[in-house]
Amino acid sequence: VVNSGGTFSGNASVISLTNSGTVSVGNGIGVMTVNGTYTQNASGNLAIEIDSFGNTDVLNVVGGGSADLNGNLDVTLLPGIYDGTLVYTIINAATVNNTFSSTASSVGTSVNVVYNPTNVQINVPYRGSVTPVPINDLPPNAKNIANYLFCPGFLPENPDLFNVNQILLTLPSATFISSLGQPGPSILE
């Protein structure tokens, strides 16, 4: 049982789970397995991460159990370049009952949810880049370069620019900041 205000997270296997707080699947992209029933109450929050390569956290409800949904679904987009077309399966269960009462995404766009009899799928129709550090938190020079490379809604069509952006977006936060502050060929090595 996850009580209101509580959090249960990680790549875990549990026997039945009632969520009135927050269940955060994985540690990065990962899998949580519930052997029995997953029940999310109205105050519950399911936190899921997705990436731009089609990977997602997954809540697997096994043993013939159901996923009984309510509350909020919170989707975090990890750094990457998104075209808004990918569909992610976030819950698998013998049966899926009810729906989330609300959804949210880390980029502020809607979350499209499809409730199938045995799974739940999502799509976040966001076109653009998600950076490892918010652009407004960058030093001035790095911020100017980031505003150019990662402006909202921009998907680089030039394969070289796409590759440069993808490399930058996979860097750890500190390296991302320093690379934007001193652009040059060395960031690609």
Side-chain angles (χ1 to χ4, degrees), residues 132-187:
V133 176
I135 291 175
N136 287 336
D137 293 348
L138 294 171
N141 189 44
K143 181 177 179 179
N144 290 337
I145 293 169
N147 277 325
Y148 175 76
L149 289 174
F150 308 113
C151 59
F154 173 68
L155 294 177
E157 293 183 20
N158 177 297
D160 293 330
L161 181 56
F162 182 88
N163 289 336
V164 167
N165 283 9
Q166 196 72 303
I167 289 168
L168 287 167
L169 294 171
T170 61
L171 296 173
S173 297
T175 308
F176 175 78
I177 293 168
S178 65
S179 294
L180 288 177
Q182 300 177 18
S186 64
I187 67 169

mmCIF file of all heavy atoms in Angstrom, residues 132-187:
data_model
loop_
_atom_site.group_PDB
_atom_site.id
_atom_site.type_symbol
_atom_site.label_atom_id
_atom_site.label_comp_id
_atom_site.label_asym_id
_atom_site.label_seq_id
_atom_site.Cartn_x
_atom_site.Cartn_y
_atom_site.Cartn_z
ATOM 1 N N PRO A 132 18.753 18.218 -21.230
ATOM 2 C CA PRO A 132 19.083 17.701 -19.895
ATOM 3 C C PRO A 132 18.988 18.762 -18.799
ATOM 4 O O PRO A 132 18.848 18.431 -17.629
ATOM 5 C CB PRO A 132 20.531 17.211 -20.026
ATOM 6 C CG PRO A 132 20.839 17.178 -21.466
ATOM 7 C CD PRO A 132 19.864 18.075 -22.160
ATOM 8 N N VAL A 133 19.099 20.028 -19.193
ATOM 9 C CA VAL A 133 19.004 21.161 -18.269
ATOM 10 C C VAL A 133 18.018 22.149 -18.914
ATOM 11 O O VAL A 133 18.120 22.419 -20.115
ATOM 12 C CB VAL A 133 20.384 21.841 -18.092
ATOM 13 C CG1 VAL A 133 20.290 23.080 -17.228
ATOM 14 C CG2 VAL A 133 21.407 20.869 -17.543
ATOM 15 N N PRO A 134 17.076 22.699 -18.154
ATOM 16 C CA PRO A 134 16.182 23.698 -18.760
ATOM 17 C C PRO A 134 16.986 24.835 -19.395
ATOM 18 O O PRO A 134 17.951 25.341 -18.800
ATOM 19 C CB PRO A 134 15.353 24.199 -17.577
ATOM 20 C CG PRO A 134 15.397 23.082 -16.583
ATOM 21 C CD PRO A 134 16.759 22.457 -16.743
ATOM 22 N N ILE A 135 16.599 25.227 -20.591
ATOM 23 C CA ILE A 135 17.355 26.247 -21.328
ATOM 24 C C ILE A 135 17.474 27.537 -20.526
ATOM 25 O O ILE A 135 18.529 28.177 -20.514
ATOM 26 C CB ILE A 135 16.724 26.485 -22.716
ATOM 27 C CG1 ILE A 135 16.946 25.242 -23.590
ATOM 28 C CG2 ILE A 135 17.302 27.732 -23.387
ATOM 29 C CD1 ILE A 135 16.280 25.282 -24.952
ATOM 30 N N ASN A 136 16.434 27.934 -19.805
ATOM 31 C CA ASN A 136 16.495 29.174 -19.025
ATOM 32 C C ASN A 136 17.470 29.106 -17.866
ATOM 33 O O ASN A 136 17.829 30.143 -17.297
ATOM 34 C CB ASN A 136 15.099 29.548 -18.521
ATOM 35 C CG ASN A 136 14.216 30.061 -19.642
ATOM 36 O OD1 ASN A 136 14.706 30.558 -20.655
ATOM 37 N ND2 ASN A 136 12.916 29.934 -19.472
ATOM 38 N N ASP A 137 17.915 27.901 -17.493
ATOM 39 C CA ASP A 137 18.883 27.754 -16.398
ATOM 40 C C ASP A 137 20.325 27.757 -16.887
ATOM 41 O O ASP A 137 21.248 27.631 -16.080
ATOM 42 C CB ASP A 137 18.627 26.451 -15.635
ATOM 43 C CG ASP A 137 17.306 26.462 -14.891
ATOM 44 O OD1 ASP A 137 16.683 27.547 -14.778
ATOM 45 O OD2 ASP A 137 16.885 25.385 -14.426
ATOM 46 N N LEU A 138 20.538 27.897 -18.188
ATOM 47 C CA LEU A 138 21.892 27.860 -18.749
ATOM 48 C C LEU A 138 22.576 29.220 -18.653
ATOM 49 O O LEU A 138 21.903 30.256 -18.651
ATOM 50 C CB LEU A 138 21.828 27.433 -20.222
ATOM 51 C CG LEU A 138 21.347 26.018 -20.500
ATOM 52 C CD1 LEU A 138 21.119 25.812 -22.001
ATOM 53 C CD2 LEU A 138 22.342 24.993 -19.961
ATOM 54 N N PRO A 139 23.922 29.231 -18.607
ATOM 55 C CA PRO A 139 24.660 30.505 -18.681
ATOM 56 C C PRO A 139 24.370 31.193 -20.025
ATOM 57 O O PRO A 139 23.959 30.533 -20.986
ATOM 58 C CB PRO A 139 26.130 30.084 -18.583
ATOM 59 C CG PRO A 139 26.126 28.670 -18.126
ATOM 60 C CD PRO A 139 24.804 28.077 -18.477
ATOM 61 N N PRO A 140 24.600 32.508 -20.110
ATOM 62 C CA PRO A 140 24.185 33.280 -21.294
ATOM 63 C C PRO A 140 24.618 32.702 -22.652
ATOM 64 O O PRO A 140 23.783 32.555 -23.541
ATOM 65 C CB PRO A 140 24.793 34.660 -21.051
ATOM 66 C CG PRO A 140 24.864 34.765 -19.559
ATOM 67 C CD PRO A 140 25.181 33.372 -19.079
ATOM 68 N N ASN A 141 25.896 32.385 -22.856
ATOM 69 C CA ASN A 141 26.336 31.893 -24.164
ATOM 70 C C ASN A 141 25.703 30.538 -24.474
ATOM 71 O O ASN A 141 25.209 30.307 -25.583
ATOM 72 C CB ASN A 141 27.865 31.800 -24.231
ATOM 73 C CG ASN A 141 28.342 31.510 -25.648
ATOM 74 O OD1 ASN A 141 27.851 32.113 -26.602
ATOM 75 N ND2 ASN A 141 29.276 30.588 -25.778
ATOM 76 N N ALA A 142 25.715 29.646 -23.493
ATOM 77 C CA ALA A 142 25.107 28.327 -23.694
ATOM 78 C C ALA A 142 23.610 28.465 -23.966
ATOM 79 O O ALA A 142 23.047 27.739 -24.797
ATOM 80 C CB ALA A 142 25.351 27.452 -22.467
ATOM 81 N N LYS A 143 22.966 29.410 -23.289
ATOM 82 C CA LYS A 143 21.530 29.633 -23.487
ATOM 83 C C LYS A 143 21.247 30.096 -24.919
ATOM 84 O O LYS A 143 20.295 29.627 -25.556
ATOM 85 C CB LYS A 143 21.022 30.663 -22.478
ATOM 86 C CG LYS A 143 19.548 30.943 -22.571
ATOM 87 C CD LYS A 143 19.119 31.924 -21.487
ATOM 88 C CE LYS A 143 17.650 32.241 -21.565
ATOM 89 N NZ LYS A 143 17.249 33.171 -20.507
ATOM 90 N N ASN A 144 22.071 31.004 -25.441
ATOM 91 C CA ASN A 144 21.880 31.485 -26.810
ATOM 92 C C ASN A 144 22.020 30.350 -27.819
ATOM 93 O O ASN A 144 21.221 30.234 -28.750
ATOM 94 C CB ASN A 144 22.880 32.604 -27.136
ATOM 95 C CG ASN A 144 22.569 33.875 -26.389
ATOM 96 O OD1 ASN A 144 21.430 34.098 -25.975
ATOM 97 N ND2 ASN A 144 23.576 34.710 -26.198
ATOM 98 N N ILE A 145 23.027 29.518 -27.635
ATOM 99 C CA ILE A 145 23.238 28.396 -28.552
ATOM 100 C C ILE A 145 22.088 27.396 -28.423
ATOM 101 O O ILE A 145 21.567 26.897 -29.425
ATOM 102 C CB ILE A 145 24.602 27.730 -28.290
ATOM 103 C CG1 ILE A 145 25.714 28.718 -28.685
ATOM 104 C CG2 ILE A 145 24.737 26.415 -29.054
ATOM 105 C CD1 ILE A 145 27.092 28.313 -28.241
ATOM 106 N N ALA A 146 21.677 27.097 -27.193
ATOM 107 C CA ALA A 146 20.575 26.151 -26.974
ATOM 108 C C ALA A 146 19.273 26.671 -27.574
ATOM 109 O O ALA A 146 18.509 25.896 -28.164
ATOM 110 C CB ALA A 146 20.400 25.872 -25.486
ATOM 111 N N ASN A 147 19.020 27.973 -27.445
ATOM 112 C CA ASN A 147 17.802 28.545 -28.042
ATOM 113 C C ASN A 147 17.798 28.374 -29.558
ATOM 114 O O ASN A 147 16.749 28.208 -30.168
ATOM 115 C CB ASN A 147 17.648 30.022 -27.679
ATOM 116 C CG ASN A 147 17.008 30.207 -26.331
ATOM 117 O OD1 ASN A 147 16.143 29.431 -25.938
ATOM 118 N ND2 ASN A 147 17.426 31.229 -25.605
ATOM 119 N N TYR A 148 18.969 28.407 -30.166
ATOM 120 C CA TYR A 148 19.068 28.207 -31.608
ATOM 121 C C TYR A 148 18.895 26.727 -31.968
ATOM 122 O O TYR A 148 18.118 26.379 -32.849
ATOM 123 C CB TYR A 148 20.413 28.729 -32.118
ATOM 124 C CG TYR A 148 20.617 28.439 -33.582
ATOM 125 C CD1 TYR A 148 19.960 29.200 -34.553
ATOM 126 C CD2 TYR A 148 21.434 27.410 -34.003
ATOM 127 C CE1 TYR A 148 20.115 28.933 -35.898
ATOM 128 C CE2 TYR A 148 21.598 27.132 -35.352
ATOM 129 C CZ TYR A 148 20.942 27.894 -36.292
ATOM 130 O OH TYR A 148 21.092 27.623 -37.618
ATOM 131 N N LEU A 149 19.630 25.851 -31.287
ATOM 132 C CA LEU A 149 19.623 24.425 -31.630
ATOM 133 C C LEU A 149 18.339 23.705 -31.224
ATOM 134 O O LEU A 149 17.916 22.757 -31.893
ATOM 135 C CB LEU A 149 20.804 23.712 -30.962
ATOM 136 C CG LEU A 149 22.193 24.024 -31.499
ATOM 137 C CD1 LEU A 149 23.242 23.343 -30.636
ATOM 138 C CD2 LEU A 149 22.311 23.603 -32.951
ATOM 139 N N PHE A 150 17.747 24.126 -30.112
ATOM 140 C CA PHE A 150 16.641 23.373 -29.530
ATOM 141 C C PHE A 150 15.367 24.197 -29.395
ATOM 142 O O PHE A 150 14.601 24.008 -28.462
ATOM 143 C CB PHE A 150 17.053 22.824 -28.158
ATOM 144 C CG PHE A 150 18.348 22.066 -28.179
ATOM 145 C CD1 PHE A 150 19.461 22.548 -27.522
ATOM 146 C CD2 PHE A 150 18.457 20.866 -28.871
ATOM 147 C CE1 PHE A 150 20.664 21.852 -27.536
ATOM 148 C CE2 PHE A 150 19.651 20.171 -28.898
ATOM 149 C CZ PHE A 150 20.758 20.655 -28.231
ATOM 150 N N CYS A 151 15.126 25.104 -30.348
ATOM 151 C CA CYS A 151 13.920 25.935 -30.240
ATOM 152 C C CYS A 151 12.671 25.054 -30.336
ATOM 153 O O CYS A 151 12.669 24.036 -31.021
ATOM 154 C CB CYS A 151 13.919 27.040 -31.283
ATOM 155 S SG CYS A 151 13.984 26.488 -32.974
ATOM 156 N N PRO A 152 11.610 25.426 -29.613
ATOM 157 C CA PRO A 152 10.394 24.605 -29.576
ATOM 158 C C PRO A 152 9.822 24.329 -30.965
ATOM 159 O O PRO A 152 9.767 25.210 -31.814
ATOM 160 C CB PRO A 152 9.418 25.445 -28.750
ATOM 161 C CG PRO A 152 10.291 26.346 -27.935
ATOM 162 C CD PRO A 152 11.499 26.616 -28.788
ATOM 163 N N GLY A 153 9.437 23.089 -31.188
ATOM 164 C CA GLY A 153 8.825 22.691 -32.442
ATOM 165 C C GLY A 153 9.797 22.411 -33.574
ATOM 166 O O GLY A 153 9.400 21.985 -34.649
ATOM 167 N N PHE A 154 11.097 22.645 -33.333
ATOM 168 C CA PHE A 154 12.095 22.458 -34.388
ATOM 169 C C PHE A 154 12.627 21.026 -34.372
ATOM 170 O O PHE A 154 13.111 20.540 -33.352
ATOM 171 C CB PHE A 154 13.257 23.438 -34.194
ATOM 172 C CG PHE A 154 14.409 23.217 -35.143
ATOM 173 C CD1 PHE A 154 14.251 23.466 -36.497
ATOM 174 C CD2 PHE A 154 15.625 22.767 -34.675
ATOM 175 C CE1 PHE A 154 15.310 23.272 -37.369
ATOM 176 C CE2 PHE A 154 16.691 22.563 -35.546
ATOM 177 C CZ PHE A 154 16.529 22.823 -36.900
ATOM 178 N N LEU A 155 12.516 20.367 -35.516
ATOM 179 C CA LEU A 155 13.124 19.056 -35.711
ATOM 180 C C LEU A 155 14.115 19.189 -36.853
ATOM 181 O O LEU A 155 13.716 19.460 -37.986
ATOM 182 C CB LEU A 155 12.076 18.000 -36.065
ATOM 183 C CG LEU A 155 11.067 17.673 -34.985
ATOM 184 C CD1 LEU A 155 10.046 16.672 -35.508
ATOM 185 C CD2 LEU A 155 11.751 17.108 -33.766
ATOM 186 N N PRO A 156 15.417 19.019 -36.571
ATOM 187 C CA PRO A 156 16.408 19.205 -37.634
ATOM 188 C C PRO A 156 16.237 18.182 -38.758
ATOM 189 O O PRO A 156 16.212 16.986 -38.516
ATOM 190 C CB PRO A 156 17.747 19.025 -36.917
ATOM 191 C CG PRO A 156 17.443 18.465 -35.588
ATOM 192 C CD PRO A 156 16.000 18.646 -35.309
ATOM 193 N N GLU A 157 16.097 18.688 -39.977
ATOM 194 C CA GLU A 157 15.974 17.806 -41.137
ATOM 195 C C GLU A 157 17.328 17.418 -41.693
ATOM 196 O O GLU A 157 17.476 16.376 -42.302
ATOM 197 C CB GLU A 157 15.107 18.469 -42.200
ATOM 198 C CG GLU A 157 13.660 18.603 -41.750
ATOM 199 C CD GLU A 157 12.770 19.196 -42.828
ATOM 200 O OE1 GLU A 157 13.149 19.151 -44.014
ATOM 201 O OE2 GLU A 157 11.688 19.677 -42.470
ATOM 202 N N ASN A 158 18.323 18.270 -41.481
ATOM 203 C CA ASN A 158 19.679 17.952 -41.920
ATOM 204 C C ASN A 158 20.227 16.849 -41.016
ATOM 205 O O ASN A 158 20.261 17.008 -39.792
ATOM 206 C CB ASN A 158 20.548 19.216 -41.820
ATOM 207 C CG ASN A 158 21.987 18.947 -42.187
ATOM 208 O OD1 ASN A 158 22.682 18.178 -41.522
ATOM 209 N ND2 ASN A 158 22.437 19.601 -43.249
ATOM 210 N N PRO A 159 20.635 15.710 -41.581
ATOM 211 C CA PRO A 159 21.085 14.591 -40.738
ATOM 212 C C PRO A 159 22.292 14.929 -39.857
ATOM 213 O O PRO A 159 22.408 14.418 -38.749
ATOM 214 C CB PRO A 159 21.407 13.472 -41.728
ATOM 215 C CG PRO A 159 21.303 14.036 -43.083
ATOM 216 C CD PRO A 159 20.660 15.377 -43.001
ATOM 217 N N ASP A 160 23.171 15.804 -40.338
ATOM 218 C CA ASP A 160 24.333 16.171 -39.522
ATOM 219 C C ASP A 160 23.911 16.976 -38.296
ATOM 220 O O ASP A 160 24.381 16.725 -37.185
ATOM 221 C CB ASP A 160 25.359 16.959 -40.350
ATOM 222 C CG ASP A 160 25.997 16.119 -41.441
ATOM 223 O OD1 ASP A 160 26.129 14.885 -41.242
ATOM 224 O OD2 ASP A 160 26.339 16.682 -42.501
ATOM 225 N N LEU A 161 23.019 17.937 -38.500
ATOM 226 C CA LEU A 161 22.536 18.728 -37.369
ATOM 227 C C LEU A 161 21.729 17.853 -36.412
ATOM 228 O O LEU A 161 21.846 17.982 -35.197
ATOM 229 C CB LEU A 161 21.689 19.904 -37.853
ATOM 230 C CG LEU A 161 21.150 20.834 -36.764
ATOM 231 C CD1 LEU A 161 22.291 21.389 -35.911
ATOM 232 C CD2 LEU A 161 20.348 21.965 -37.388
ATOM 233 N N PHE A 162 20.935 16.939 -36.959
ATOM 234 C CA PHE A 162 20.187 16.005 -36.110
ATOM 235 C C PHE A 162 21.146 15.203 -35.236
ATOM 236 O O PHE A 162 20.928 15.060 -34.030
ATOM 237 C CB PHE A 162 19.339 15.059 -36.981
ATOM 238 C CG PHE A 162 18.496 14.109 -36.175
ATOM 239 C CD1 PHE A 162 17.226 14.473 -35.764
ATOM 240 C CD2 PHE A 162 18.974 12.856 -35.805
ATOM 241 C CE1 PHE A 162 16.436 13.604 -35.009
ATOM 242 C CE2 PHE A 162 18.206 11.982 -35.056
ATOM 243 C CZ PHE A 162 16.936 12.352 -34.651
ATOM 244 N N ASN A 163 22.230 14.693 -35.814
ATOM 245 C CA ASN A 163 23.213 13.905 -35.054
ATOM 246 C C ASN A 163 23.907 14.743 -33.991
ATOM 247 O O ASN A 163 24.120 14.267 -32.868
ATOM 248 C CB ASN A 163 24.235 13.264 -35.991
ATOM 249 C CG ASN A 163 23.628 12.141 -36.810
ATOM 250 O OD1 ASN A 163 22.637 11.537 -36.418
ATOM 251 N ND2 ASN A 163 24.214 11.870 -37.970
ATOM 252 N N VAL A 164 24.255 15.985 -34.330
ATOM 253 C CA VAL A 164 24.880 16.867 -33.333
ATOM 254 C C VAL A 164 23.916 17.093 -32.172
ATOM 255 O O VAL A 164 24.289 16.972 -30.999
ATOM 256 C CB VAL A 164 25.296 18.216 -33.972
ATOM 257 C CG1 VAL A 164 25.647 19.247 -32.903
ATOM 258 C CG2 VAL A 164 26.461 18.016 -34.922
ATOM 259 N N ASN A 165 22.661 17.394 -32.477
ATOM 260 C CA ASN A 165 21.669 17.616 -31.424
ATOM 261 C C ASN A 165 21.492 16.363 -30.572
ATOM 262 O O ASN A 165 21.433 16.442 -29.337
ATOM 263 C CB ASN A 165 20.331 18.041 -32.019
ATOM 264 C CG ASN A 165 20.310 19.484 -32.463
ATOM 265 O OD1 ASN A 165 21.331 20.149 -32.498
ATOM 266 N ND2 ASN A 165 19.148 19.967 -32.841
ATOM 267 N N GLN A 166 21.385 15.210 -31.213
ATOM 268 C CA GLN A 166 21.180 13.965 -30.473
ATOM 269 C C GLN A 166 22.360 13.681 -29.541
ATOM 270 O O GLN A 166 22.176 13.274 -28.399
ATOM 271 C CB GLN A 166 20.969 12.813 -31.470
ATOM 272 C CG GLN A 166 20.388 11.584 -30.868
ATOM 273 C CD GLN A 166 18.921 11.736 -30.489
ATOM 274 O OE1 GLN A 166 18.544 12.612 -29.715
ATOM 275 N NE2 GLN A 166 18.103 10.871 -31.024
ATOM 276 N N ILE A 167 23.580 13.929 -30.019
ATOM 277 C CA ILE A 167 24.768 13.728 -29.175
ATOM 278 C C ILE A 167 24.717 14.669 -27.969
ATOM 279 O O ILE A 167 24.944 14.261 -26.831
ATOM 280 C CB ILE A 167 26.062 13.929 -29.988
ATOM 281 C CG1 ILE A 167 26.245 12.766 -30.971
ATOM 282 C CG2 ILE A 167 27.280 14.064 -29.067
ATOM 283 C CD1 ILE A 167 27.315 12.996 -32.018
ATOM 284 N N LEU A 168 24.419 15.941 -28.214
ATOM 285 C CA LEU A 168 24.353 16.907 -27.116
ATOM 286 C C LEU A 168 23.305 16.509 -26.081
ATOM 287 O O LEU A 168 23.535 16.618 -24.871
ATOM 288 C CB LEU A 168 24.047 18.308 -27.647
ATOM 289 C CG LEU A 168 25.178 19.020 -28.370
ATOM 290 C CD1 LEU A 168 24.659 20.238 -29.107
ATOM 291 C CD2 LEU A 168 26.287 19.392 -27.400
ATOM 292 N N LEU A 169 22.162 16.026 -26.542
ATOM 293 C CA LEU A 169 21.065 15.702 -25.632
ATOM 294 C C LEU A 169 21.319 14.454 -24.798
ATOM 295 O O LEU A 169 20.645 14.234 -23.789
ATOM 296 C CB LEU A 169 19.759 15.558 -26.415
ATOM 297 C CG LEU A 169 19.259 16.852 -27.056
ATOM 298 C CD1 LEU A 169 18.091 16.579 -27.986
ATOM 299 C CD2 LEU A 169 18.892 17.878 -26.000
ATOM 300 N N THR A 170 22.287 13.630 -25.189
ATOM 301 C CA THR A 170 22.605 12.429 -24.407
ATOM 302 C C THR A 170 23.706 12.679 -23.379
ATOM 303 O O THR A 170 24.036 11.783 -22.612
ATOM 304 C CB THR A 170 23.021 11.260 -25.323
ATOM 305 O OG1 THR A 170 24.188 11.636 -26.063
ATOM 306 C CG2 THR A 170 21.898 10.879 -26.273
ATOM 307 N N LEU A 171 24.259 13.880 -23.370
ATOM 308 C CA LEU A 171 25.339 14.187 -22.433
ATOM 309 C C LEU A 171 24.796 14.398 -21.021
ATOM 310 O O LEU A 171 23.674 14.879 -20.844
ATOM 311 C CB LEU A 171 26.069 15.467 -22.872
ATOM 312 C CG LEU A 171 26.809 15.413 -24.211
ATOM 313 C CD1 LEU A 171 27.334 16.799 -24.569
ATOM 314 C CD2 LEU A 171 27.944 14.401 -24.159
ATOM 315 N N PRO A 172 25.622 14.073 -20.016
ATOM 316 C CA PRO A 172 25.237 14.430 -18.636
ATOM 317 C C PRO A 172 25.096 15.957 -18.524
ATOM 318 O O PRO A 172 25.697 16.705 -19.299
ATOM 319 C CB PRO A 172 26.412 13.927 -17.792
ATOM 320 C CG PRO A 172 27.141 12.959 -18.658
ATOM 321 C CD PRO A 172 26.891 13.371 -20.082
ATOM 322 N N SER A 173 24.333 16.410 -17.566
ATOM 323 C CA SER A 173 24.005 17.840 -17.429
ATOM 324 C C SER A 173 25.228 18.748 -17.461
ATOM 325 O O SER A 173 25.254 19.735 -18.213
ATOM 326 C CB SER A 173 23.209 18.077 -16.144
ATOM 327 O OG SER A 173 21.986 17.396 -16.216
ATOM 328 N N ALA A 174 26.240 18.466 -16.657
ATOM 329 C CA ALA A 174 27.414 19.345 -16.583
ATOM 330 C C ALA A 174 28.149 19.391 -17.920
ATOM 331 O O ALA A 174 28.605 20.465 -18.356
ATOM 332 C CB ALA A 174 28.354 18.892 -15.465
ATOM 333 N N THR A 175 28.269 18.254 -18.592
ATOM 334 C CA THR A 175 28.949 18.200 -19.890
ATOM 335 C C THR A 175 28.118 18.917 -20.947
ATOM 336 O O THR A 175 28.667 19.596 -21.824
ATOM 337 C CB THR A 175 29.213 16.739 -20.300
ATOM 338 O OG1 THR A 175 29.869 16.066 -19.235
ATOM 339 C CG2 THR A 175 30.059 16.655 -21.558
ATOM 340 N N PHE A 176 26.804 18.790 -20.879
ATOM 341 C CA PHE A 176 25.903 19.495 -21.797
ATOM 342 C C PHE A 176 26.129 21.005 -21.681
ATOM 343 O O PHE A 176 26.303 21.692 -22.684
ATOM 344 C CB PHE A 176 24.458 19.123 -21.461
ATOM 345 C CG PHE A 176 23.411 19.866 -22.245
ATOM 346 C CD1 PHE A 176 23.123 19.516 -23.553
ATOM 347 C CD2 PHE A 176 22.691 20.898 -21.665
ATOM 348 C CE1 PHE A 176 22.141 20.188 -24.282
ATOM 349 C CE2 PHE A 176 21.709 21.578 -22.376
ATOM 350 C CZ PHE A 176 21.438 21.221 -23.691
ATOM 351 N N ILE A 177 26.168 21.509 -20.453
ATOM 352 C CA ILE A 177 26.357 22.946 -20.227
ATOM 353 C C ILE A 177 27.702 23.401 -20.767
ATOM 354 O O ILE A 177 27.794 24.398 -21.495
ATOM 355 C CB ILE A 177 26.220 23.288 -18.727
ATOM 356 C CG1 ILE A 177 24.784 23.049 -18.268
ATOM 357 C CG2 ILE A 177 26.639 24.734 -18.451
ATOM 358 C CD1 ILE A 177 24.605 23.083 -16.757
ATOM 359 N N SER A 178 28.775 22.682 -20.430
ATOM 360 C CA SER A 178 30.108 23.110 -20.877
ATOM 361 C C SER A 178 30.255 22.978 -22.393
ATOM 362 O O SER A 178 30.905 23.813 -23.025
ATOM 363 C CB SER A 178 31.207 22.332 -20.155
ATOM 364 O OG SER A 178 31.167 20.962 -20.485
ATOM 365 N N SER A 179 29.635 21.969 -23.002
ATOM 366 C CA SER A 179 29.726 21.802 -24.460
ATOM 367 C C SER A 179 29.022 22.937 -25.188
ATOM 368 O O SER A 179 29.500 23.397 -26.229
ATOM 369 C CB SER A 179 29.114 20.472 -24.882
ATOM 370 O OG SER A 179 29.869 19.405 -24.367
ATOM 371 N N LEU A 180 27.885 23.388 -24.654
ATOM 372 C CA LEU A 180 27.185 24.509 -25.282
ATOM 373 C C LEU A 180 27.934 25.819 -25.075
ATOM 374 O O LEU A 180 27.830 26.732 -25.888
ATOM 375 C CB LEU A 180 25.769 24.638 -24.730
ATOM 376 C CG LEU A 180 24.777 23.577 -25.174
ATOM 377 C CD1 LEU A 180 23.438 23.799 -24.490
ATOM 378 C CD2 LEU A 180 24.612 23.558 -26.672
ATOM 379 N N GLY A 181 28.707 25.906 -23.995
ATOM 380 C CA GLY A 181 29.467 27.118 -23.709
ATOM 381 C C GLY A 181 30.700 27.261 -24.583
ATOM 382 O O GLY A 181 31.221 28.348 -24.753
ATOM 383 N N GLN A 182 31.167 26.134 -25.139
ATOM 384 C CA GLN A 182 32.377 26.151 -25.970
ATOM 385 C C GLN A 182 32.169 25.231 -27.171
ATOM 386 O O GLN A 182 32.812 24.180 -27.254
ATOM 387 C CB GLN A 182 33.571 25.687 -25.161
ATOM 388 C CG GLN A 182 33.846 26.531 -23.958
ATOM 389 C CD GLN A 182 34.999 25.983 -23.137
ATOM 390 O OE1 GLN A 182 35.793 25.188 -23.609
ATOM 391 N NE2 GLN A 182 35.090 26.408 -21.906
ATOM 392 N N PRO A 183 31.288 25.587 -28.092
ATOM 393 C CA PRO A 183 31.018 24.681 -29.207
ATOM 394 C C PRO A 183 32.240 24.511 -30.105
ATOM 395 O O PRO A 183 33.021 25.423 -30.284
ATOM 396 C CB PRO A 183 29.882 25.364 -29.957
ATOM 397 C CG PRO A 183 30.000 26.796 -29.592
ATOM 398 C CD PRO A 183 30.552 26.825 -28.206
ATOM 399 N N GLY A 184 32.384 23.314 -30.609
ATOM 400 C CA GLY A 184 33.479 22.997 -31.521
ATOM 401 C C GLY A 184 33.429 21.508 -31.818
ATOM 402 O O GLY A 184 32.648 20.762 -31.234
ATOM 403 N N PRO A 185 34.276 21.032 -32.732
ATOM 404 C CA PRO A 185 34.260 19.631 -33.143
ATOM 405 C C PRO A 185 34.523 18.643 -32.002
ATOM 406 O O PRO A 185 34.097 17.496 -32.060
ATOM 407 C CB PRO A 185 35.352 19.524 -34.197
ATOM 408 C CG PRO A 185 35.624 20.919 -34.640
ATOM 409 C CD PRO A 185 35.243 21.815 -33.484
ATOM 410 N N SER A 186 35.190 19.075 -30.926
ATOM 411 C CA SER A 186 35.545 18.141 -29.847
ATOM 412 C C SER A 186 34.317 17.566 -29.149
ATOM 413 O O SER A 186 34.388 16.490 -28.578
ATOM 414 C CB SER A 186 36.445 18.822 -28.818
ATOM 415 O OG SER A 186 35.740 19.870 -28.190
ATOM 416 N N ILE A 187 33.162 18.234 -29.210
ATOM 417 C CA ILE A 187 31.982 17.692 -28.539
ATOM 418 C C ILE A 187 31.466 16.449 -29.240
ATOM 419 O O ILE A 187 30.694 15.687 -28.682
ATOM 420 C CB ILE A 187 30.828 18.727 -28.397
ATOM 421 C CG1 ILE A 187 30.263 19.100 -29.754
ATOM 422 C CG2 ILE A 187 31.276 19.926 -27.610
ATOM 423 C CD1 ILE A 187 28.979 19.899 -29.674
#
